[in-house]
């Protein structure tokens, strides 16, 4: 029975990723395009992780501080795997759609729980593989290599997902337990995840300081790591100084927390899954009926869905959070940059363009429209049956993206204009260009979802994180920002920065207008055929 459950979970994961291709619903060209985009994203991740670790390895490789490479590799691996599967864990363990069906069968609850944990471990292992490859490459290039070190390093990466899974399951259990006590389920998501992301951003902003402190006082920091994060410490020790004792301690620190978490889950799984949340009793009060125009009602519907689905909120709106953080940092620390400008020859003229590039990159990460049609799922027929034109429905989805994405960009642009030195034409372009990129992200994301809709999902997280339309929209937005940067770098040597940025703005206006016309004509017809 356990083998059948594990096979079912593996098939469900494979179907969630490749079902459309295997059923022949995607053309060969679309499959090739999706494969190229997937290879591109994986290559970017491998390159970014490799660049970070290579910089560390150049400083510590071949020295007595070589273990710091494995300390940072372990930390990055834990952060990557925890973030990658955090949204999926609670849904798969406690809020899966087939929980009631499986519990009604003569299957022991521990088997159901174990099969789901096995699937989540495989997902964590996939994320960890993205870090294992560049770590091994950097280790071979820059460090003193030993055969036992390579073997232990590979085994260490195999075991590290066990600890990250224990963290995911503990957080998922906490969310599920809080949710079982609250009427508003998603409140628990926001409380726990906001705290988690606060810790994550603190670590990211302090990464350079932590590395410098490690290099200056490696022994003291290593002792602190041993006390507060033993799995990472023993991972580094087992890889740098392979010995049966260090590997045994690492094995205990990765597997024992998972065993304790599993014991906790097995004792509370059935109670949490079968708990009915209280529902507030509605009290009728006579009042005048408020009539809302269809466009505003649809816009409100899109916004309510965005703020009610935590996975949708934190994935599609991640750029908004970063924009607000950058705006606050500019207002608080921007004067430090201004004081350094006299010492950086030529950088003052380049700074506004860098602000535009950073804000535009964050803008194309705000992608509410990319999964918005797919999220309708089996309820699409309800939307289609309303006495509302298809163009109004599509426009409401674009408008929701703009309502969420434009205000933080305005805040970031205004903060940059107030803090950094620039003339009026450049200030106007700093304000305008990120808004144009945000408009592109909204309209192109909706076009991508019209081209690659997905309605066979059983979990909203699958659509938000694994949908081909989301991948296409994100890569398309980043490619356009990169094209603008390349154009500025090449043409800025011949023409003035104002002229080059103005030409880029004009090109963006034409591109945005072209996609708007496509949505109003071809896009409406495509939506009517869904």
């Amino acid at each position: 029975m356990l083998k059948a459950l594990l096979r079912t979970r593996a098939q469900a994961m494979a179907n969630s990723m490749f079902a459309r291709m295997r059923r022949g619903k995607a053309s060969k060209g679309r499959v090739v395009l999706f494969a190229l985009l997937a290879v591109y994203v994986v290559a970017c991740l491998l390159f970014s992780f490799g660049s970070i670790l290579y910089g560390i390895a150049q400083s510590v490789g071949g020295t007595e501080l070589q273990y710091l490479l494995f300390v940072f590799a372990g930390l990055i691996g834990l952060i990557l795997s925890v973030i990658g599967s955090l949204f999926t864990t609670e849904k798969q363990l406690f809020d899966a759609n087939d929980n009631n069906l499986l519990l009604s069968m003569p299957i022991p609850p521990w088997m159901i729980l174990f099969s789901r944990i096995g699937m989540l471990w495989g997902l964590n292992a996939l994320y960890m593989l993205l870090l294992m490859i560049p770590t091994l490459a950097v280790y071979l290039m820059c460090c003193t290599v030993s055969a036992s070190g390579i073997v232990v390093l590979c085994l260490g990466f195999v075991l590290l997902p066990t600890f990250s899974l224990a963290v995911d399951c503990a957080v998922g259990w906490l969310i599920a337990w809080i949710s079982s006590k609250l009427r508003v389920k998603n409140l628990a998501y926001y409380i726990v995840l906001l705290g988690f992301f606060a810790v994550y951003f603190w670590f990211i902003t302090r990464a350079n300081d932590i590395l410098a402190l490690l290099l200056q006082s490696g022994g003291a920091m290593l002792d602190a790591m041993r006390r507060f994060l033993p799995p990472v410490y023993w991972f580094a020790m087992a890889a740098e100084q392979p010995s049966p004792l260090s590997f045994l301690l690492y094995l205990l620190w990765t597997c024992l927390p998972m065993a304790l978490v599993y014991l906790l889950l097995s004792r509370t799984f059935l109670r949490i899954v079968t708990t009915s949340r209280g529902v507030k009793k509605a009290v009728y009060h006579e009042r005048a009926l408020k009539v809302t125009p269809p466009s505003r009602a649809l816009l409100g519907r899109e916004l309510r869905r965005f703020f009610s689905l935590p996975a949708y909120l934190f994935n599609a709106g991640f750029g908004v959070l970063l924009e607000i953080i950058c705006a606050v940092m500019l207002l608080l620390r921007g004067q430090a940059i201004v004081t350094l400008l006299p010492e950086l020859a030529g950088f003052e003229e380049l700074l506004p363009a860098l602000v535009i590039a950073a804000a535009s990159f964050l803008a194309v990460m705000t992608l509410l429209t990319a999964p918005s049609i797919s999220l309708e799922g089996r309820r699409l027929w309800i939307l289609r049956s309303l006495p509302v034109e298809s163009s109004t429905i599509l426009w409401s989805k674009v408008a929701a993206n703009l309502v969420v994405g434009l205000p933080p960009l305005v805040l970031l642009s205004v903060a940059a204009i107030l803090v950094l030195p620039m003339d009026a034409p450049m200030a106007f372009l700093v304000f305008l260009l990120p808004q144009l990129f945000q408009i592109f992200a909204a309209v192109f994301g909706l076009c991508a979802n019209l081209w690659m809709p997905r309605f066979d999902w059983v979990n909203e997280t699958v659509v938000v994180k694994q949908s081909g339309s989301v991948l296409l929209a994100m890569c398309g937005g980043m490619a356009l920002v990169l094209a603008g940067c390349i154009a500025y770098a090449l043409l800025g040597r011949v023409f003035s920065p104002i002229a080059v940025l103005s030409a880029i703005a004009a090109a963006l206006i034409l591109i945005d207008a072209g996609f708007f016309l496509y949505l109003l004509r071809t896009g409406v017809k495509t939506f009517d055929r869904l």
Side-chain angles (χ1 to χ4, degrees):
M1 182 63 69
L2 180 60
K3 183 179 179 181
L5 286 173
L6 290 172
R7 184 171 60 251
T8 301
R9 301 318 309 169
Q11 290 175 349
M13 179 184 291
N15 288 336
S16 66
M17 298 179 181
F18 309 111
R20 291 178 59 84
M21 298 180 185
R22 294 196 308 183
R23 293 174 187 170
K25 294 183 179 180
S27 63
K28 292 183 178 180
R30 185 172 295 182
V31 171
V32 172
L33 177 61
F34 184 81
L36 291 175
L37 289 175
V39 171
Y40 169 76
V41 172
V42 171
C44 289
L45 290 173
L46 293 176
F47 178 77
S48 61
F49 295 145
S51 300
I52 296 173
L53 295 174
Y54 184 76
I56 297 172
Q58 281 189 318
S59 302
V60 301
T63 68
E64 60 181 8
L65 298 178
Q66 184 170 287
Y67 61 83
L68 293 180
L69 171 65
F70 307 113
V71 169
F72 267 79
L75 286 173
I76 295 173
L78 286 179
I79 293 172
L80 176 66
S81 56
V82 168
I83 292 178
S85 57
L86 185 62
F87 294 103
T88 309
T89 301
E90 192 274 340
K91 179 72 176 177
Q92 289 294 326
L93 290 180
F94 300 106
D95 202 23
N97 294 334
D98 58 350
N99 271 342
N100 292 332
L101 176 62
L102 292 176
L103 290 174
S104 65
M105 297 180 179
I107 303 175
W110 73 266
M111 285 191 180
I112 300 173
L113 179 62
F114 190 86
S115 66
R116 297 190 186 283
I117 289 178
M119 185 273 293
L120 292 170
W121 184 90
L123 186 61
N124 277 264
L126 288 176
Y127 288 122
M128 201 64 68
L129 184 63
L130 293 175
L131 188 70
M132 178 180 174
I133 295 174
T135 303
L136 285 174
V138 169
Y139 177 58
L140 294 173
M141 287 189 296
C142 303
C143 299
T144 303
V145 181
S146 64
S148 58
I150 294 176
V151 173
V152 173
L153 186 61
C154 294
L155 291 175
F157 273 113
V158 172
L159 290 173
L160 200 55
T162 307
F163 180 76
S164 64
L165 179 59
V167 176
D168 283 334
C169 290
V171 175
W173 175 85
L174 181 62
I175 293 173
W177 182 79
I178 296 175
S179 298
S180 67
K181 307 295 181 181
L182 299 176
R183 291 189 176 96
V184 183
K185 171 191 171 183
N186 291 331
L187 182 61
Y189 275 100
Y190 300 139
I191 294 173
V192 175
L193 295 182
L194 282 175
F196 177 82
F197 275 104
V199 175
Y200 167 71
F201 280 114
W202 177 87
F203 176 80
I204 292 299
T205 55
R206 300 280 181 169
N208 291 332
D209 297 336
I210 294 173
L211 178 59
L213 191 58
L214 281 171
L215 294 174
Q216 293 174 4
S217 56
M221 290 298 296
L222 194 65
D223 184 64
M225 187 72 66
R226 180 179 60 83
R227 286 183 293 165
F228 296 108
L229 202 55
V232 174
Y233 169 82
W234 288 113
F235 170 75
M237 291 298 99
E240 174 60 18
Q241 302 171 3
S243 69
L245 178 60
S246 62
F247 186 78
L248 178 60
L249 290 171
Y250 173 63
L251 181 66
L252 289 175
W253 274 110
T254 52
C255 296
L256 187 59
M258 186 64 241
L260 295 175
V261 170
Y262 179 79
L263 180 62
L264 173 66
L265 292 176
S266 62
R267 295 192 173 214
T268 57
F269 174 71
L270 196 59
R271 184 170 67 251
I272 293 177
V273 168
T274 57
T275 297
S276 298
R277 298 178 182 91
V279 179
K280 187 177 180 180
K281 185 178 180 180
V283 179
Y284 175 75
H285 297 283
E286 183 179 357
R287 56 183 175 223
L289 179 64
K290 185 178 180 180
V291 179
T292 304
S295 57
R296 189 184 303 175
L298 290 171
L299 173 60
R301 174 180 177 271
E302 294 293 329
L303 293 175
R304 284 192 298 272
R305 179 169 59 186
F306 173 69
F307 288 105
S308 64
L309 296 177
Y312 191 19
L313 175 65
F314 282 95
N315 282 273
F318 191 66
V320 172
L321 180 61
L322 293 179
E323 289 161 9
I324 296 174
I325 292 174
C326 290
V328 174
M329 294 298 294
L330 266 177
L331 293 174
L332 295 179
R333 303 288 182 89
Q335 290 301 323
I337 300 177
V338 176
T339 56
L340 290 175
L341 289 179
E343 303 176 10
L344 303 174
F347 188 72
E348 182 176 354
E349 184 177 327
L350 184 62
L351 190 58
L354 294 177
V355 171
I356 292 174
S360 300
F361 178 77
L362 295 178
V364 298
M365 293 175 62
T366 306
L367 291 168
L368 276 69
T369 53
S372 61
I373 296 176
S374 298
L375 284 173
E376 301 293 344
R378 298 177 182 178
R379 300 184 299 272
L380 180 64
W381 69 271
I382 300 177
L383 189 62
R384 293 281 307 278
S385 64
L386 296 175
V388 180
E389 294 183 358
S390 298
S391 58
T392 304
I393 296 173
L394 297 181
W395 167 245
S396 68
K397 296 181 180 297
V398 173
N401 201 142
L402 299 180
V403 167
V404 172
L406 291 182
L409 276 178
V410 172
L411 177 64
L412 178 56
S413 299
V414 170
I417 292 170
L418 292 176
V419 173
L420 304 178
M422 62 185 74
D423 53 19
M426 182 60 75
F428 175 73
L429 290 170
V430 168
F431 182 86
L432 177 64
L433 276 166
Q435 316 296 325
L436 294 177
F437 276 105
Q438 181 61 83
I439 294 172
F440 170 81
V443 293
F444 182 72
L446 190 58
C447 290
N449 205 191
L450 287 171
W451 299 332
M452 306 175 69
R454 183 173 184 176
F455 302 114
D456 56 351
W457 52 268
V458 294
N459 185 353
E460 295 91 351
T461 306
V462 173
V463 179
V464 175
K465 297 182 67 173
Q466 300 176 6
S467 177
S469 60
V470 175
L471 180 62
L472 176 60
M474 185 176 297
C475 292
M478 290 190 293
L480 188 63
V481 174
L482 181 61
C485 294
I486 294 174
Y488 181 85
L490 295 177
L491 299 177
R493 302 175 181 178
V494 181
F495 304 99
S496 66
I498 297 293
V500 176
L501 292 175
S502 299
I504 294 174
L508 280 173
I509 291 174
L510 293 177
I511 293 173
D512 292 346
F515 277 107
F516 264 118
L517 291 176
Y518 175 86
L519 285 176
L520 292 176
R521 297 179 181 178
T522 309
V524 169
K525 296 177 182 178
T526 304
F527 180 75
D528 290 336
R529 290 194 299 265
L530 294 178

